[in-house]
């Protein structure tokens, strides 16, 4: 088993490691992103699962929010279990779990079934992030840490792009196989199967690692531990949805209740594990980064979930395929933005400038570009080229800033606590992902357009910018010193 006290020693084949972890992000991005375009298609084509739904965009957004609720709630447990049983073990479990749940999502016959399996998909995918970031930190040379995080997470953008590109042809293929009303099933089945294959490949790669990073899997122990958390979270999330529907609560209210559950989990971590993981809980600068991640993940899953619908309405008369191809620009920007941002952050660090001010500048520029996108839509702009260009520009800076923030947080964290830190970071940040699809959908139904949702997203970006101004990067020196010493074992 990979002990929590494992030293940070670069792995000679770290580029191969980056490749396989990037494929994991491709799978994770595909599995989560297809929910939005498929639901947009189901709403537009009055698929039976959505017949009789009074507020389809709000309900569709709620399905996405519940997926991200499962994803968010597993962030900290996933990292914590990874620290105990091995980060690579949990990575393989995560990808295989999400892939199987995605395949099964294409076989449901009722809306509650789709909700339940999307929640399970989120729970599985939620185990990945904290362990992926930890493995990169442990096995990548320090001077290339941010670049590695950027290269690897570019797989998320590839996955988002792949989802947008394939959803329309796969739905057409599904129509030929399952009939006109069942075409939506095929993206889940095909892309979920692809995810399962990637998990098998990752297991084979980890087994091939030798020396200090030899892979000693502990699947049984990890599954038992993860299963305990997963069962509780699944029952809570689906139970809240079921009770809320029976009581007639609004969709934004359901998302709010789930957010309270996530915050309650954070509170329980503080009270039960505070002594064990105090370095990642009581660090002022880390906490500011955690909270600043809320608007980052709000923005990510607002555009990943609803961009096809936003473009389709803005460019009146465009087809579903044209809107999907324009939305692809949001994902394409990440393929360049993630590694470029990582390289810039490493370069800035080597020059002695630090990572913070690069992160702050990119966050501000992203906010300005997102505001321009909203103003263009507000002004009635209908050019697919302009919409795609603005999406690409804003997304380029948005994707570049993420590895900067992740590497900065890693600099502030001792190696033994990386899994817990990244789990806490994404747990708090995913509050944005939980609320974003549902609240944005509610705003769309209430106002008849997407402008208010885009402007809300912009305001949150600038709020994150203000928080990052108060992070004190000088304390990262302690993190660099920790790289040269064996990490202490958490009690």
């Amino acid at each position: 088993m990979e002990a929590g006290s494992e030293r940070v020693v670069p792995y000679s084949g770290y580029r191969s490691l980056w490749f396989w972890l990037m494929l994991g992000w491709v799978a994770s991005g595909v599995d989560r992103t297809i929910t939005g375009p498929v639901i947009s298609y189901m709403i537009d084509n009055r698929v039976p699962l959505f017949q009789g739904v009074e507020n389809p965009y709000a309900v569709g957004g709620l399905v996405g929010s519940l997926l991200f609720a499962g994803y968010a709630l597993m962030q900290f447990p996933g990292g914590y279990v990874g620290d105990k049983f091995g980060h690579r073990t949990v990575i393989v479990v995560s990808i295989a779990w999400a892939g199987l749940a995605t395949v099964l999502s294409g076989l449901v016959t009722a809306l509650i079934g789709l909700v339940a399996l999307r929640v399970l998909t989120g729970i599985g995918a939620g185990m990945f992030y904290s362990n992926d970031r930890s493995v990169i930190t442990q096995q990548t040379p320090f001077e290339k840490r941010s670049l590695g995080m950027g290269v690897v997470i570019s797989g998320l953008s590839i996955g988002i792009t792949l989802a947008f590109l394939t959803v329309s042809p796969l739905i057409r293929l599904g129509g030929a196989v399952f009939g006109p009303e069942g075409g939506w099933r095929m993206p889940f089945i095909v892309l979920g199967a692809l995810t399962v294959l990637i998990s098998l490949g990752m297991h084979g790669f980890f087994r091939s690692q030798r020396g200090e990073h030899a892979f000693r899997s502990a699947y049984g122990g990890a599954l038992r531990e993860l299963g305990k958390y997963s069962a509780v979270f699944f029952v809570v999330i689906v139970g809240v949805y079921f009770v809320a529907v029976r009581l007639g609560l609004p969709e934004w209210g359901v998302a709010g209740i789930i957010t309270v559950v996530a915050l309650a989990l954070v509170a329980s971590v503080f009270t039960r594990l505070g002594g064990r993981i105090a370095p990642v809980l009581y660090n002022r600068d880390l906490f500011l980064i955690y909270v600043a991640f809320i608007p980052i993940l709000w923005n990510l899953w607002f555009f990943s979930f609803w961009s096809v619908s936003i473009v389709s309405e803005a460019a009146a008369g465009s087809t579903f395929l044209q809107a999907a191809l324009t939305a692809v620009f949001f994902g394409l920007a990440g393929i360049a933005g993630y590694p470029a941002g990582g390289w810039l952050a490493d370069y800035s660090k080597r020059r002695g400038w630090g990572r913070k001010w690069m992160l702050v500048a990119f966050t501000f520029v992203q906010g300005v570009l997102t505001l321009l996108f909203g103003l263009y839509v507000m002004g009635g702009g209908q050019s697919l080229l302009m919409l795609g260009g603005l999406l690409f520009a804003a997304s380029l800076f948005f994707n570049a800033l993420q590895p900067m923030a992740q590497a900065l947080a890693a600099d502030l964290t001792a190696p033994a606590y990386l899994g817990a830190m990244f789990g806490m970071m994404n747990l708090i940040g995913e509050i944005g992902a939980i609320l974003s699809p549902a609240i944005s959908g509610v705003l769309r139904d209430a106002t008849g357009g997407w402008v208010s949702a885009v402007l809300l997203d912009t305001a949150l970006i600038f709020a994150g910018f203000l928080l990052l101004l108060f992070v004190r990067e000088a304390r990262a020196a302690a993190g660099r010193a920790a790289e040269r010493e064996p990490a202490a074992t958490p009690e």
Side-chain angles (χ1 to χ4, degrees):
M1 169 171 85
E2 294 170 337
S5 58
E6 183 180 7
R7 289 189 64 155
V8 177
V9 179
Y11 171 58
S12 60
Y14 64 88
R15 291 184 179 85
S16 296
L17 174 75
W18 291 359
F19 173 77
W20 280 104
L21 293 176
M22 181 178 70
L23 286 182
W25 277 109
V26 171
S28 180
V30 163
D31 287 346
R32 287 178 287 158
T33 301
I34 55 174
T35 309
V38 169
I39 285 180
S40 294
Y41 171 85
M42 294 167 78
I43 292 172
D44 292 343
N45 291 272
R46 296 177 174 82
V47 169
L49 258 67
F50 273 80
Q51 284 184 356
V53 175
E54 184 177 351
N55 299 307
Y57 288 98
V59 172
L62 180 59
V63 174
S65 290
L66 296 177
L67 183 156
F68 290 112
Y71 185 83
L73 292 176
M74 280 306 293
Q75 293 300 314
F76 180 79
Y80 185 64
V81 173
D83 287 339
K84 291 175 62 179
F85 293 97
H87 299 297
R88 290 170 291 178
T89 295
V90 178
I91 283 172
V92 175
V93 170
S94 170
I95 301 302
W97 181 315
L100 288 171
T102 298
V103 171
L104 293 174
S105 297
L107 304 178
V108 300
T109 57
L111 184 59
I112 185 63
L114 182 63
V115 168
L117 282 160
R118 290 289 82 195
V119 170
L120 284 174
T121 301
I123 287 173
M127 307 168 191
F128 183 63
Y129 172 88
S130 53
N131 292 288
D132 152 81
R133 303 290 91 177
S134 298
V135 171
I136 294 170
T137 301
Q138 290 172 339
Q139 298 191 26
T140 298
F142 178 76
E143 67 275 10
K144 297 182 180 179
R145 173 181 288 176
S146 188
L147 174 62
M149 290 185 176
V151 169
V152 168
I153 206 170
S154 67
L156 175 61
S157 291
I158 296 172
I160 291 171
T161 302
L162 183 64
F164 286 143
L165 287 175
T166 59
V167 67
S168 183
L170 284 174
I171 287 174
R172 288 201 301 270
L173 176 62
V177 176
F178 300 112
E181 294 183 346
W184 61 270
R185 301 179 184 276
M186 191 61 77
F188 288 120
I189 294 171
V190 171
L191 297 175
L194 174 64
T195 297
V196 173
L197 291 176
I198 289 174
S199 73
L200 295 175
M202 295 177 81
H203 171 75
F205 169 75
F206 290 145
R207 286 191 62 184
S208 72
Q209 288 189 314
R210 296 288 185 268
E212 182 126 12
H213 295 286
F215 181 48
R216 295 176 293 280
S217 62
Y219 290 123
L223 279 169
R224 284 192 297 273
E225 194 79 8
L226 292 166
K228 296 175 185 177
Y229 291 105
S230 301
V232 172
F233 297 153
F234 177 78
V235 170
V236 169
I237 296 169
V238 177
V240 167
Y241 171 80
F242 184 77
V243 171
V245 169
R246 294 294 298 269
L247 295 178
L249 296 180
E251 289 76 14
W252 62 266
V254 180
I257 293 172
I258 295 296
T259 301
V260 171
V261 171
L263 292 173
L265 175 62
V266 175
S268 72
V269 169
F270 271 90
T271 55
R272 293 181 58 201
L273 300 175
R276 299 183 188 179
I277 56 171
V280 303
L281 289 179
Y282 304 114
N283 183 311
R284 167 191 176 276
D285 301 300
L286 282 176
F287 191 77
L288 287 171
I289 297 174
Y290 297 161
V291 178
F293 241 66
I294 294 175
I296 288 175
L297 292 178
W298 178 295
N299 179 82
L300 174 61
W301 294 109
F302 168 59
F303 281 107
S304 295
F305 200 90
W306 288 123
S307 59
V308 173
S309 181
I310 294 170
V311 172
S312 179
E313 290 193 8
S318 61
T319 66
F320 180 80
L321 177 59
Q322 288 173 327
L325 290 176
T326 303
V328 160
F329 284 100
F330 180 78
L332 283 175
I335 299 174
Y338 280 125
W343 182 87
L344 285 169
D346 284 336
Y347 176 79
S348 179
K349 189 75 171 180
R350 289 194 300 270
R351 294 298 299 268
W353 304 334
R355 307 188 203 271
K356 170 187 169 178
W357 291 109
M358 186 78 71
L359 170 62
V360 167
F362 273 54
T363 303
F364 180 79
V365 174
Q366 182 223 346
V368 171
L369 290 170
T370 306
L371 176 61
L372 291 176
F373 178 86
L375 293 176
Y376 182 73
V377 174
M378 181 189 298
Q382 298 185 5
S383 167
L384 289 173
L385 181 62
M386 182 64 72
L387 289 167
L390 287 170
L391 274 177
F392 182 87
S395 181
L396 188 65
F397 282 87
F398 167 68
N399 289 301
L401 67 85
Q402 292 178 63
M404 296 175 185
Q406 292 157 0
L408 176 59
D411 290 348
L412 292 161
T413 306
Y417 301 95
L418 285 169
M421 182 278 290
F422 281 121
M424 183 59 67
M425 181 179 182
N426 227 32
L427 168 60
I428 294 176
E430 286 293 335
I431 291 172
I434 294 172
L435 294 172
S436 177
I439 290 181
S440 301
V442 168
L443 287 173
R444 162 60 183 77
D445 282 331
T447 64
W450 287 107
V451 171
S452 58
V454 175
L455 294 180
L456 174 59
D457 177 65
T458 302
L460 290 172
I461 292 169
F462 283 116
F465 159 78
L466 292 175
L467 286 173
L468 292 171
L469 289 174
F470 293 96
V471 174
R472 298 172 300 187
E473 187 176 10
R475 293 184 60 184
R480 291 196 300 275
E483 296 290 339
R484 298 188 289 270
E485 300 293 337
T489 305
E491 297 178 1

